[in-house]
Amino acid sequence: MIRAVENLFIAVLGVAGGLAVGSGLVALLIVFDLVPRLAQLSRAFRMSIWFETAIVCGSLYWTFADFMDWKVRLPSAFALAGSGLLDGMFVGMLAAALTEVINVLPILAKRLGLSAYMFGLVMAMVLGKTVGSLFDWLVFQW
């Protein structure tokens, strides 16, 4: 009897935690308008339904992968590099959309007089993050 109550408590706690995290993600996506802003930045307004579908499908897939302990066996370093590139593109685009939504870059560019160089400023940040990450992974992690 006590074991069943423990299992029920753990199940309720897990569902409550999942609802809290899921609600936080949905609040982030809605309040910051990340999907519409991402569609605007990529000039793909007609494909915004694909962005939304990709977020939902990715969330569902990785939830099942985590719960069922799925393993992805990549056959070569080339496949691993492709997977890493896609992951990096996703994180970079999400970070760029979030940064753009909260107006950090426009305010910074306006105050520094770099409004005409906004694209270069964003690319410098992206390349700096990429080079810094690669340096960390390839030099410090090995």
Side-chain angles (χ1 to χ4, degrees), residues 111-122:
R111 289 189 180 168
L112 295 177
L114 299 174
S115 296
Y117 305 106
M118 182 67 87
F119 181 75
L121 181 63
V122 170

Side-chain angles (χ1 to χ4, degrees), residues 29-108:
L29 293 174
I30 290 173
V31 169
F32 287 145
D33 285 334
L34 289 181
V35 173
R37 188 65 181 145
L38 184 61
Q40 182 182 9
L41 286 174
S42 62
R43 295 186 181 108
F45 294 108
R46 287 185 242 172
M47 299 190 66
S48 64
I49 190 71
W50 287 99
F51 294 143
E52 296 166 359
T53 304
I55 290 171
V56 170
C57 289
S59 297
L60 288 173
Y61 175 81
W62 289 111
T63 299
F64 283 116
D66 185 37
F67 282 145
M68 297 180 183
D69 201 28
W70 292 348
K71 302 283 189 233
V72 176
R73 306 212 192 297
L74 298 175
S76 67
F78 182 72
L80 185 62
S83 174
L85 180 66
L86 291 175
D87 289 344
M89 287 170 50
F90 171 75
V91 170
M93 288 177 65
L94 189 63
L98 180 60
T99 303
E100 187 67 26
V101 165
I102 60 175
N103 292 327
V104 171
L105 291 179
I107 292 170
L108 179 68

